[in-house]
Amino acid sequence: MRVIAKRTLREFWLSSASYMDSKAPLEAWHSEALKAKWNSPQDIKAQFRSASILKNSRVVFNIAGNKYRLIVAIDYERQVCFVKFVGTHKQYDQIDAEIV
């Protein structure tokens, strides 16, 4: 998978000293995603059992022991993963995950 964009992940963990604990888990997720070949939501669930599959090709990943949420949109045909949101549970609760 191509991941667009790691910069969004980096900007999150650098945005606050309290988010620095997300750096290693986000980098680990990024590394796994780069190696992945997801052809369907079932492929994601096989690799990340706690991932939530939503409408509009959105997937929610739990990061850092479920402390943070990462939402991506996936184009399975082109093998591209677009980072749409990364934040705390409180921030996640304030958005509509299916349209971010």
Side-chain angles (χ1 to χ4, degrees), residues 44 51-54 57-61 70-74 76:
I44 295 170
S52 300
I53 309 300
L54 307 178
S57 300
R58 299 293 199 274
V59 180
V60 180
F61 293 94
L70 170 65
I71 302 173
V72 300
I74 298 182
Y76 296 100

Side-chain angles (χ1 to χ4, degrees), residues 17-43:
S18 63
Y19 299 156
M20 281 304 293
D21 63 337
S22 69
K23 180 181 179 184
L26 285 169
E27 286 184 323
W29 175 88
H30 184 264
S31 177
E32 289 298 314
L34 288 175
K35 294 183 267 184
K37 182 163 175 49
W38 297 321
N39 294 307
S40 69
Q42 293 78 18
D43 292 342

Side-chain angles (χ1 to χ4, degrees), residues 38-97:
W38 297 321
N39 294 307
S40 69
Q42 293 78 18
D43 292 342
I44 295 170
K45 289 294 279 184
Q47 186 172 358
F48 295 97
R49 297 223 180 265
S50 66
S52 300
I53 309 300
L54 307 178
K55 296 177 189 174
N56 296 329
S57 300
R58 299 293 199 274
V59 180
V60 180
F61 293 94
N62 297 318
I63 302 295
N66 207 18
K67 185 173 180 182
Y68 302 103
R69 294 278 176 101
L70 170 65
I71 302 173
V72 300
I74 298 182
D75 184 332
Y76 296 100
E77 193 172 313
R78 293 188 179 111
Q79 290 291 292
V80 179
C81 180
F82 300 92
V83 174
K84 296 294 191 175
F85 170 86
V86 60
T88 64
H89 274 270
K90 185 177 181 180
Q91 293 165 337
Y92 175 83
D93 290 342
Q94 297 173 357
I95 63 162
D96 184 344

